[in-house]
Amino acid sequence: MTQIVLLVLGGADANSGRVDPQSSVASRLVRVFSFFTVDSNVLVAMACVGLALGPDRDGRVWRALRLTSLLAILITGLVFVTVLASKVHLSGAALWCTIAFHYVAPPATFLGWLVFGPRGQTDRRTLAWSFAWPLGWIGYTLVRGATTGWYPYPFLDVGALGYPVALRNVAVVLTIGAVLALALRWIDRLLARSPGPPEELDEGTSSYDEAKS
């Protein structure tokens, strides 16, 4: 909410540090919600509300939302710290926003998932669906950038880098995401494992499902 107020008033964007008072409010709002950072934080908020309303909820869509939000926010934190932090210079309310977006939300979301779960919801199909939104975001970003010339992140700026470099950067981020997804599945299965010899789970089936049957 603070970021939206800043943009409406012509303040700095907490994601890039840019100030663009010449653009319309509508244009600034579209741009802020075109950042992977903002969208991933929105997904986390949706997942947290879902958990608050029903801690034991389950279902294909819910599993995808929960894992997508966790995976996306971890990517947000890693990419910002390793690639973008040195390029963004902020102060005041915008600085506090970027701290919340990039330094607080990722570890807090991960710790919340470790402590509260829910467990056993990272089967192979859910892992595959967890990449639907990131891939859709990449497609949207490249198409919108080609038509407007605006890209949310410098490592995706086709105008400055060209398609080969920009697509290589996309591939690197997706590879990191795949490694994170596999690590999350391994951690989830480890925490969900009951005492005794581990049982091999069928594709699309989790220990959570077996516990309910």
Side-chain angles (χ1 to χ4, degrees), residues 27-185:
S27 177
R28 279 178 259 157
L29 289 176
V30 169
R31 285 186 176 184
V32 77
F33 283 105
S34 296
F35 280 95
F36 190 91
T37 295
V38 173
D39 296 340
S40 63
N41 276 270
V42 170
L43 289 173
V44 167
M46 292 170 61
C48 289
V49 170
L51 282 174
L53 295 177
D56 297 325
R57 71 172 58 242
D58 198 358
R60 184 58 55 196
V61 174
W62 163 252
R63 291 186 179 198
L65 170 62
R66 180 65 170 145
L67 185 57
T68 299
S69 66
L70 177 59
L71 185 60
I73 202 68
L74 290 177
I75 292 173
T76 291
L78 284 173
V79 171
F80 185 81
V81 169
T82 58
V83 178
L84 300 172
S86 62
K87 298 177 175 63
V88 179
H89 306 285
L90 298 165
S91 61
L95 174 60
W96 288 108
C97 283
T98 203
I99 289 173
F101 286 159
H102 302 108
Y103 294 104
V104 176
T109 303
F110 179 64
L111 289 175
W113 176 75
L114 284 179
V115 174
F116 300 108
R119 299 271 71 85
Q121 295 189 358
T122 56
D123 53 83
R124 294 176 187 174
R125 187 179 302 176
T126 302
L127 253 66
W129 276 110
S130 69
F131 281 86
W133 175 76
L135 288 172
W137 180 88
I138 291 169
Y140 161 79
T141 299
L142 293 177
V143 170
R144 188 171 188 275
T147 57
T148 66
W150 182 87
Y151 294 86
Y153 302 106
F155 61 86
L156 290 179
D157 191 338
V158 174
L161 303 175
Y163 276 104
V165 175
L167 292 177
R168 180 204 64 190
N169 293 339
V170 167
V172 170
V173 175
L174 286 175
T175 300
I176 294 172
V179 172
L180 283 174
L182 292 173
L184 291 172
R185 185 172 190 241

